[in-house]
Amino acid sequence: MDKSSWPTPDAMRTALAEIVGVEHVLTHIEERALYAYDATIRRTVPDIVVRPHSTGEISRVLDYANRQAIFVYPRGSATGLSGGSVPLNGGIALDLTRMNRILEINREDLYARVQAGVIVATFARAVADANLFFPPDPSSAPAATMGGSLAENAGGPHAFKYGVFRDYTLGLTVVLADGKIVRTGGTTVKNVSGYDLTRLFVGSEGTLGVIAEAVIRLIPKPETQRTLLAVYEDLHQAADTVSRIIAAGMQPAALEFIDDASIRVVESFLHLGLPLDAAALLLIEVDGPEMVVAEQAQTIAAFCRQHGAREVTIAATAAESARLWQARKSISSAVARIKPSKIAEDATVPRSRIPEMVRRLKAIAAKYAVDLVIFGHIGDGNLHPNIMCDERNPEEMARVWQTVAEIFDVTLELGGTLTGEHGVGYMKAPFMPWEHDETALDAMRRLKHVFDPQNILNPGKVFPEAAPPWPISLAPWNRKRRAPDD
Amino acid sequence: MSCIKCGLCLSSCPTFQQTGLERESPRGRVQLIASVAQGVMPLTQGPLADTMFSCLDCRACEVACPSGVPIGRLIEKGRAEVVHLSRRQAAQTPGEQATRLALQSLIPYPRRLRTLGRLVRWSQRTGLAHWSRHLKFLPEGLRGYAGSLRRLPSRTGREMLAADPSPVPAPGSPRVDLFLGCVMDVVFGEANLATKRVLERNGCAVSAPLGQVCCGALAVHAGDRDGARALARTNIDTFLQSDPAYIATNAGGCGAALLEYPEWFADDPVYRARAERFAERVRDASQIVETVGFRPPAGRFPHTVTYQASCHLHNVMKVGDTPQRLLQSIAGLIYRPMADMARCCGSAGIYNLTHPAMSAQLLARKMADIPPEADIVVTGNPGCWLQLEHGAATSGPPVRVMHVMEVLAEAYRSEPSAGQSES
């Protein structure tokens, strides 16, 4: 990591202003300081912020950066929960939000072409207006960009039935580290010509190339939806119900879990009259043809009651259903009402292990005496244990870091993964060797070297040796961990 | 409540929508304020100071923020710091000096405001106002508005109220004190008169205590918290002495400020409690009409109407759908909703004068959102009113702008004969 050979800030500014225009290069400390963060807790100020307007401009910026070996940190709206866009080692923050055009929505061939900076919710609305459906729906959709969500391979509640961003990506325009522009995939669902570079770049977290444009697969809009809210006095019964719904072969469009602490914070934000005495809620959406959906909603409601739900309501209107979903999607932010800092995890386990995972999470929180909030996409095993804390309190933070390590340990023990949809970033990089053996990690390193031999793209992410070390020793967990093939 | 940088405020912020710059976003502004507060960054006159004042203070971000960060209050405090710094460094621009002069020597004094109103009226009659757009020494924002400003009425609202006979209130009628405001009373005095009449038609005993002054919102927005608190004390004393059931406002900006008096006096052992007693009675007139039991007018108002929410009415006073419900109860009125009606129109107090370029962009978007079939845009704040009239006079569409209370008063007035409104 040699920054001594970099041009001076003034020289960088001159060169980059020539490419994107002087008003789209930010150098004042009071402006750069605002490109130091995402929704994680580490902040690092970039040396310069560049805001390109086209794929060609990105290409020229990368060509310059590569020749000068300057680090480049691509970013959309910086809403990430793993630190994917934080410019850990300084250099260029490459802000792609000016590239915000939806280039095409093709209703005959069911695809859309978008630039990286298009806001996810804006895109989903435009698609719905064309009477089509783009299912991935992360809670950050009102702010997050398509490019950032593709780079992190984001998901959301609909992933349970419909899959994640990767499943809706038919092709990409990617700018490589040396500025060359590569187009992958196409506009067809079936396409097996050559290596599937599309699926490689999606989820590569800005370490292999900069996603500039994408061809997005669309599907017909379901005729209608119903939203159910099931209220539980015992959170384990809620978790149990989920396993049984899945075992019974039912497939709701979304199956979400909300614990008691989440209910309280979101109620204090929205005042919807949620039951504050409940231990957990299940928020369930079914979709499809009207006749099927009405019946399915009743079946699932009865099923929830059989398995311990105190009360099940079916939203009567679209507005009521929208309010319930707003509540669910506000939780990740509303938890800041508990304590000022949060560590958001998205450890994911096989669906059948959900009841056990919930029990283990509660036990871990008790063991380390931390404020743990649990909500998330319980239907696909992707829970969000959020640890609420105060980053200014070192004693508390030591317990928080232990808690995170133990959550990962348990997740892997149950056959799960470190991250279901947030990405590795810098937050989970130290734990990569826990999930992937050296052979797998080395294969990833060699891929990285092919695409970015100088290691200028988003350094400090994904790979354990590059990321900031975990604040506490991980020795206790490493010792008792089993090898992957045991 | 602490900002965790989730970004859910971004899409709600009009200045971020226009620029896409983090520094023009609530998240960015909060981070800058926090950096200064934590000593990470010194307070300078750079982009940080600019962005404290480029905020519209529309509070849409507070409604969007699940974490409950009091963004508006943080920014008002940030402004006070910047103003404090610029006074220390004595580096005020002519615009800042003019603002300061107006805040300290004009706004607090209703009589001086009335005099200014007469002066403006004289300039309008003589054609000077129209001609003033060419006066290059006037700030750009002011020049643009002078020509489109409506003819000021010859009397203030206060004077109209004094001349308007009130019915004898029924025993047990709720006593309502009217907060008149400054711009509202000088420029839109008829709206104050209409508010009085509508409240009376709905069974309230209405008066407008003498001794009330400006709410202080303009001073707070400009970073002059001490000046604002002096005004607030006068209002608190005046209205608590009168002791009404409700304090009615018809200006979202004023109402929001009155509601926030307790925050202004958070460190004041005496006025904190008094401010709370004051604020708990403050309501928008539309809310009072619904609370006391709305008596829909029997008269007709045959117009196609859309409604533009004042930001402070919507985001701080949280009137919700009340004004629209009242409008929709009127016979003959066709209601057409405006898309994104809670987005700021760019008026934002004196923002249209201090930031004319951004204000013009937001006004253009707002005018484009007016449903084409609407002939009247209804609003609930004098700043929005002036701004929309400016838009109607310059870019169009050439809609008429009215206050909710005016529309209701018109419908009451066109009733076949008095006393038939209850059915």
Side-chain angles (χ1 to χ4, degrees):
Chain A
M1 214 182 300
D2 183 20
K3 294 160 74 167
S4 59
S5 65
W6 286 3
T8 63
D10 274 350
M12 272 194 222
R13 182 197 182 152
T14 309
L16 293 165
E18 220 162 87
I19 301 170
V20 300
V22 69
E23 67 272 36
H24 302 301
V25 178
L26 310 179
T27 52
H28 196 293
I29 177 63
E30 291 168 13
E31 301 216 81
R32 284 187 285 128
L34 304 182
Y35 294 78
Y37 50 74
D38 67 357
T40 59
I41 61 176
R42 192 178 278 270
R43 298 163 180 9
T44 323
V45 181
D47 291 284
I48 196 162
V49 181
V50 184
R51 310 183 69 226
H53 188 56
S54 66
T55 305
E57 285 184 3
I58 299 175
S59 159
R60 291 172 62 200
V61 170
L62 285 188
D63 173 51
Y64 170 77
N66 195 49
R67 276 188 286 108
Q68 306 288 344
I70 305 167
F71 302 145
V72 178
Y73 289 89
R75 54 171 277 145
S77 298
T79 59
L81 291 165
S82 63
S85 68
V86 178
L88 283 182
N89 303 310
I92 297 171
L94 188 69
D95 174 6
L96 300 168
T97 53
R98 287 180 67 220
M99 295 185 56
N100 59 359
R101 280 183 303 138
I102 298 171
L103 303 168
E104 181 186 2
I105 294 181
N106 192 311
R107 298 165 73 160
E108 285 194 325
D109 293 327
L110 299 182
Y111 71 82
R113 288 192 305 123
V114 296
Q115 289 187 317
V118 170
I119 303 300
V120 175
T122 308
F123 175 65
R125 260 197 309 274
V127 169
D129 288 345
N131 212 23
L132 294 170
F133 187 35
F134 174 66
D137 56 345
S139 293
S140 56
T145 61
M146 292 297 288
S149 304
L150 286 164
E152 299 295 325
N153 193 12
H158 281 149
F160 175 61
K161 178 174 177 179
Y162 291 105
V164 296
F165 266 76
R166 180 176 282 143
D167 302 313
Y168 292 86
T169 314
L170 299 175
L172 293 173
T173 302
V174 179
V175 183
L176 300 180
D178 59 5
K180 289 202 181 94
I181 298 169
V182 52
R183 290 190 174 78
T184 74
T187 58
T188 58
V189 172
K190 288 187 167 177
N191 180 336
V192 293
S193 71
Y195 295 152
D196 194 343
L197 295 178
T198 309
R199 291 175 80 87
L200 174 63
F201 282 116
V202 175
S204 66
E205 307 196 20
T207 61
L208 298 182
V210 177
I211 296 172
E213 282 180 24
V215 184
I216 301 293
R217 179 187 182 187
L218 306 175
I219 59 175
K221 192 151 68 172
E223 189 181 306
T224 190
Q225 292 89 12
R226 284 283 191 296
T227 304
L228 290 83
L229 187 71
V231 182
Y232 288 85
E233 274 164 16
D234 174 355
L235 88 161
H236 302 298
Q237 281 182 329
D240 232 36
T241 306
V242 173
S243 295
R244 286 162 193 265
I245 288 176
I246 293 161
M250 290 182 253
Q251 197 180 29
L255 192 35
E256 295 288 308
F257 175 84
I258 300 171
D259 79 350
D260 52 348
S262 307
I263 299 171
R264 284 195 294 272
V265 292
V266 82
E267 182 59 22
S268 80
F269 170 45
L270 292 173
H271 312 291
L272 296 177
L274 297 174
L276 292 169
D277 59 338
L281 304 176
L282 289 181
L283 187 62
I284 305 167
E285 183 182 286
V286 289
D287 67 358
E290 175 63 43
M291 273 173 58
V292 178
V293 163
E295 192 192 311
Q296 234 182 27
Q298 293 300 341
T299 310
I300 292 178
F303 205 84
C304 291
R305 283 191 204 97
Q306 275 167 32
H307 291 90
R310 176 179 89 189
E311 181 190 341
V312 185
T313 50
I314 301 175
T317 62
E320 199 181 310
S321 150
R323 277 194 295 276
L324 289 173
W325 279 106
Q326 190 194 358
R328 163 62 192 89
K329 292 187 175 185
S330 302
I331 296 172
S332 171
S333 307
V335 289
R337 289 167 186 256
I338 300 173
K339 282 191 172 178
S341 323
K342 77 160 185 169
I343 308 296
E345 295 303 343
D346 70 325
T348 303
V349 296
R351 290 159 179 175
S352 63
R353 313 305 293 271
I354 289 162
E356 187 177 356
M357 183 68 179
V358 171
R359 265 190 294 277
R360 300 284 287 270
L361 285 172
K362 283 284 181 188
I364 295 170
K367 177 176 172 188
Y368 293 104
V370 292
D371 278 303
L372 187 78
V373 185
I374 309 172
F375 58 93
H377 320 302
I378 195 164
D380 50 33
N382 180 201
L383 283 171
H384 293 317
N386 274 228
I387 308 158
M388 302 315 301
C389 50
D390 185 342
E391 55 191 296
R392 294 162 298 190
N393 179 347
E395 183 277 326
E396 181 185 22
M397 291 314 287
R399 284 183 285 119
V400 169
W401 303 129
Q402 287 173 314
T403 306
V404 174
E406 192 129 334
I407 289 176
F408 288 146
D409 193 46
V410 167
T411 305
L412 295 170
E413 183 194 318
L414 297 178
T417 173
L418 297 170
T419 169
E421 58 181 9
H422 293 171
V424 176
Y426 70 82
M427 288 289 285
K428 294 168 188 119
F431 300 92
M432 285 290 274
W434 289 19
E435 182 171 345
H436 305 281
D437 62 21
E438 197 44 39
T439 315
L441 280 175
D442 200 49
M444 292 187 211
R445 280 186 200 107
R446 280 187 287 158
L447 258 174
K448 165 76 174 166
H449 188 76
V450 166
F451 285 101
D452 180 19
Q454 293 210 85
N455 195 26
I456 63 162
L457 285 176
N458 209 5
K461 314 295 169 65
V462 180
F463 296 102
E465 63 276 14
W470 199 242
I472 55 159
S473 163
L474 293 174
W477 294 278
N478 280 333
R479 258 203 319 277
K480 76 174 204 226
R481 242 190 79 65
R482 293 172 303 176
D485 26 334
D486 278 2
Chain B
M1 306 293 176
S2 169
C3 173
I4 52 168
K5 306 281 175 287
C6 70
L8 286 186
C9 58
L10 296 175
S11 61
S12 73
C13 175
T15 57
F16 181 77
Q17 289 170 10
Q18 294 305 120
T19 63
L21 288 170
E22 191 72 15
R23 88 168 127 82
E24 297 293 342
S25 77
R27 179 173 71 173
R29 290 181 176 116
V30 167
Q31 175 65 20
L32 284 173
I33 293 165
S35 302
V36 172
Q38 293 159 4
V40 180
M41 194 181 273
L43 183 60
T44 71
Q45 298 281 14
L48 192 161
D50 288 344
T51 192
M52 289 302 111
F53 286 92
S54 67
C55 166
L56 295 149
D57 202 18
C58 73
R59 310 289 185 93
C61 50
E62 288 187 355
V63 176
C65 176
S67 315
V69 179
I71 305 166
R73 199 192 317 162
L74 289 171
I75 286 177
E76 280 168 3
K77 284 185 179 162
R79 286 179 177 179
E81 296 285 321
V82 172
V83 167
H84 186 67
L85 177 80
S86 72
R87 279 188 199 159
R88 257 199 342 255
Q89 299 184 342
Q92 284 183 309
T93 66
E96 283 166 345
Q97 284 167 355
T99 307
R100 202 174 140 202
L101 189 73
L103 286 173
Q104 290 179 349
S105 317
L106 189 62
I107 301 283
Y109 305 100
R111 202 169 299 164
R112 290 185 197 173
L113 273 176
R114 223 176 308 154
T115 309
L116 176 70
R118 298 222 169 86
L119 216 70
V120 171
R121 227 168 77 77
W122 170 80
S123 76
Q124 288 178 330
R125 280 208 312 270
T126 56
L128 187 67
H130 188 70
W131 185 70
S132 67
R133 335 180 241 154
H134 305 294
L135 297 179
K136 295 282 185 263
F137 64 85
L138 286 175
E140 183 196 339
L142 195 58
R143 259 185 282 143
Y145 282 82
S148 71
L149 182 65
R150 56 158 54 200
R151 276 283 167 109
L152 295 196
S154 58
R155 292 183 305 168
T156 62
R158 194 185 295 259
E159 289 161 341
M160 292 181 217
L161 255 63
D164 188 55
S166 294
V168 179
S173 302
R175 277 198 46 226
V176 177
D177 276 0
L178 201 54
F179 185 84
L180 299 168
C182 353
V183 178
M184 195 58 119
D185 206 53
V186 173
V187 184
F188 304 109
E190 288 98 339
N192 278 343
L193 182 62
T195 306
K196 167 182 178 283
R197 289 178 174 169
V198 170
L199 286 167
E200 285 175 348
R201 284 303 301 262
N202 286 278
C204 301
V206 184
S207 54
L210 292 171
Q212 56 176 300
V213 292
C214 165
C215 64
L218 291 177
V220 155
H221 297 167
D224 180 13
R225 292 179 77 76
D226 287 339
R229 276 190 281 260
L231 294 166
R233 275 192 209 95
T234 306
N235 283 326
I236 291 169
D237 293 346
T238 303
F239 284 90
L240 285 188
Q241 199 189 349
S242 167
D243 197 26
Y246 298 110
I247 299 166
T249 77
N250 54 15
C254 304
L258 301 181
L259 274 186
E260 291 184 340
Y261 277 4
E263 271 169 30
W264 299 8
F265 292 103
D267 306 322
D268 185 323
V270 178
Y271 269 87
R272 163 99 218 198
R274 285 176 71 75
E276 276 165 9
R277 276 169 52 211
F278 172 91
E280 65 198 19
R281 305 181 202 194
V282 172
R283 304 277 191 287
D284 186 65
S286 64
Q287 294 171 308
I288 297 175
V289 166
E290 270 205 340
T291 310
V292 300
F294 178 44
R295 306 169 187 177
R300 290 173 57 82
F301 188 77
H303 292 279
T304 303
V305 169
T306 189
Y307 173 73
Q308 189 259 333
S310 138
C311 301
H312 284 179
L313 204 55
H314 192 263
N315 299 329
V316 184
M317 297 200 77
K318 304 215 160 52
V319 296
D321 298 334
T322 301
Q324 294 102 302
R325 265 202 303 277
L326 296 181
L327 290 172
Q328 285 173 286
S329 74
I330 299 172
L333 185 150
I334 300 166
Y335 178 72
R336 289 277 176 272
M338 184 189 288
D340 207 4
M341 58 110 188
R343 188 189 61 239
C344 180
C345 64
S347 160
I350 54 166
Y351 192 93
N352 44 8
L353 304 183
T354 56
H355 295 78
M358 175 64 75
S359 173
Q361 288 176 36
L362 293 173
L363 177 59
R365 284 180 68 190
K366 184 57 73 180
M367 298 311 287
D369 282 341
I370 295 174
E373 60 276 29
D375 59 317
I376 292 175
V377 181
V378 167
T379 187
N381 186 56
C384 317
W385 198 341
L386 285 170
Q387 177 84 339
L388 291 165
E389 285 193 341
H390 176 62
T394 50
S395 68
V399 286
R400 194 172 145 208
V401 187
M402 291 180 76
H403 194 277
V404 186
M405 291 294 137
E406 282 191 311
V407 174
L408 279 169
E410 282 270 339
Y412 283 120
R413 200 167 53 194
S414 68
E415 285 175 354
S417 66
Q420 293 182 359
S421 60
E422 291 169 69
S423 52

